[in-house]
Amino acid sequence: MGRFANSTDRSSGLEVVRDWNGVAQVVLRSPKGASARVSLHGGQVVSWKNDRGEEHLFTSSKAFFKPPNAMRGGIQMCFPQFGYSGTLERHGFARNLFWALDDEHPPINHNDNGSKVSVDLILKPSEDDLKCWPHCFEFRLRVSLSKDGDLSLISRIRNVNGKPFSFSFAYHTYLSVSDISEVRIEGLETLDYLDNLSHKERFTEQGDAITFESEVDRVYVSSPNVVAVLDHEKKHSFVIRKEGLPDVVVWNPWEKKSRTMVDFGDEEYKQMLCVDAAAVERAITLKPGEEWTGKMELSAVSSTNCSDHLDHPVNI
């Protein structure tokens, strides 16, 4: 961590700063004024703002901001476990570790014609990490901001172990909303979901859209690659595009659970919604030398234009 100093490169749209704990963060800025901020603690996206400076990601007022705890909010990297689905700590260890800037950043096979500003991070296991999860890996993360302010994340996980290993994964994404009672999700209708409030029992979604009147904690399986979160009061929508991530996790703790969470305000459930691009139902298995890629792109658009984005093909 000591090699990072506060620095600015306006021509590249990148700035490296430090938070109040001295942890390095990379700030990405688009030519039109949108921005994103990525912490080297956890590889976590801690901010994503539009060109008017409006924050799209939720962060709890009671979040812990000091390592090793992951901050309650933003976009967390859940690897090699999501939730309590294995023997590790909840959501795995990647979100609690320090990442490094990836100086090698092997090329990704896509052509953005210089229209994005990006930062590349890398995580490799330490000896202590190998004691709790004995598998060697390289986790490369690219976070990009387009000229129009769209946020994209590309994760590549390579097995550099001598034997296969399996993992689950999620971009644990806290979206900021005006009022959860005024929000609906489109794109998950008629799908099966695993209900974590009913011991992962399988149900089929019956509604025309998902709306919220109580606690929700579900994994929608075999989901389409484009999902929209419509916020009626703000009159805008989040469009989520994904590749390599078959599931969508939807979570809001509601009032009762919120009061039991020490790093979450009692009433803050009204201003947030987690919609995660994920691979949870079926574990991903990599043989030695194999690499997996999972992609997500977030756009904030006017609700009147949302249907156009839902019909747009995935091209992250």
Side-chain angles (χ1 to χ4, degrees):
M1 297 294 296
R3 67 189 182 91
F4 296 111
N6 284 8
S7 61
T8 303
D9 184 353
R10 296 294 183 185
S11 62
S12 69
L14 289 176
E15 181 182 5
V16 179
V17 300
R18 291 183 181 275
D19 67 12
W20 46 89
N21 291 308
V23 177
Q25 295 185 345
V26 181
V27 182
L28 292 73
R29 291 187 175 88
S30 77
K32 295 183 179 180
S35 67
R37 186 180 290 252
V38 187
S39 176
L40 268 66
H41 177 233
Q44 185 170 358
V45 180
V46 296
S47 176
W48 171 40
K49 295 180 180 180
N50 63 16
D51 55 9
R52 297 181 299 278
E54 297 167 339
E55 180 61 67
H56 291 318
L57 299 179
F58 167 86
T59 299
S60 173
S61 62
K62 293 188 175 182
F64 301 137
F65 291 99
K66 189 172 183 178
N69 299 299
M71 182 194 75
R72 173 75 70 181
I75 304 175
Q76 301 176 5
M77 303 299 117
C78 297
F79 170 85
Q81 176 180 304
F82 180 77
Y84 293 103
S85 58
T87 59
L88 300 174
E89 59 193 291
R90 183 171 63 93
H91 295 331
F93 49 70
R95 67 183 188 144
N96 296 323
L97 299 178
F98 283 101
W99 295 51
L101 290 176
D102 187 3
D103 298 325
E104 299 177 14
H105 57 274
I108 294 173
N109 294 324
H110 76 278
N111 181 19
D112 57 29
N113 296 317
S115 62
K116 295 180 179 180
V117 57
S118 303
V119 63
D120 293 279
L121 304 183
I122 188 168
L123 177 68
K124 297 180 181 180
S126 67
E127 290 186 8
D128 287 340
D129 300 329
L130 291 172
K131 291 177 183 177
C132 65
W133 199 67
H135 305 293
C136 288
F137 65 88
E138 291 178 349
F139 186 156
R140 284 186 159 88
L141 171 66
R142 172 170 290 182
V143 181
S144 302
L145 192 67
S146 76
K147 62 181 180 180
D148 294 322
D150 297 339
L151 180 70
S152 62
L153 296 89
I154 302 178
S155 292
R156 292 184 296 159
I157 296 170
R158 177 176 290 275
N159 183 350
V160 293
N161 207 40
K163 58 183 179 180
F165 63 69
S166 300
F167 62 91
S168 56
F169 179 91
Y171 291 118
H172 193 24
T173 305
Y174 286 76
L175 298 174
S176 175
V177 301
S178 58
D179 186 332
I180 189 63
S181 64
E182 297 294 323
V183 172
R184 75 177 191 269
I185 302 176
E186 294 185 354
L188 302 177
E189 308 85 53
T190 74
L191 294 186
D192 284 358
Y193 64 86
L194 309 178
D195 193 339
N196 290 321
L197 302 179
S198 299
H199 307 287
K200 298 184 180 181
E201 188 175 351
R202 196 180 190 98
F203 298 92
T204 300
E205 180 59 50
Q206 302 295 325
D208 295 333
I210 300 171
T211 56
F212 300 89
E213 298 176 344
S214 60
E215 181 181 357
V216 173
D217 189 355
R218 301 172 181 173
V219 179
Y220 286 83
V221 300
S222 302
S223 62
N225 282 338
V226 185
V227 175
V229 180
L230 285 73
D231 191 326
H232 298 290
E233 186 172 321
K234 287 187 177 181
K235 295 182 173 58
H236 80 191
S237 301
F238 294 110
V239 178
I240 302 168
R241 297 183 178 89
K242 59 189 179 67
E243 289 182 7
L245 296 159
D247 307 322
V248 171
V249 179
V250 178
W251 179 67
N252 183 285
W254 218 253
E255 184 175 9
K256 184 177 179 181
K257 185 167 185 177
S258 294
R259 295 181 182 278
T260 69
M261 299 161 60
V262 295
D263 61 344
F264 194 84
D266 291 351
E267 301 292 321
E268 288 184 329
Y269 71 92
K270 297 176 182 178
Q271 276 74 55
M272 59 74 63
L273 176 63
C274 283
V275 183
D276 308 347
V280 177
E281 183 193 23
R282 294 184 177 89
I284 298 163
T285 299
L286 293 180
K287 297 176 182 178
E290 285 188 334
E291 183 176 274
W292 167 85
T293 301
K295 306 177 183 180
M296 179 179 72
E297 182 184 76
L298 298 175
S299 304
V301 302
S302 167
S303 292
T304 56
N305 298 326
C306 183
S307 59
D308 296 337
H309 288 260
L310 284 172
D311 295 334
H312 193 277
V314 177
N315 184 23
I316 303 174

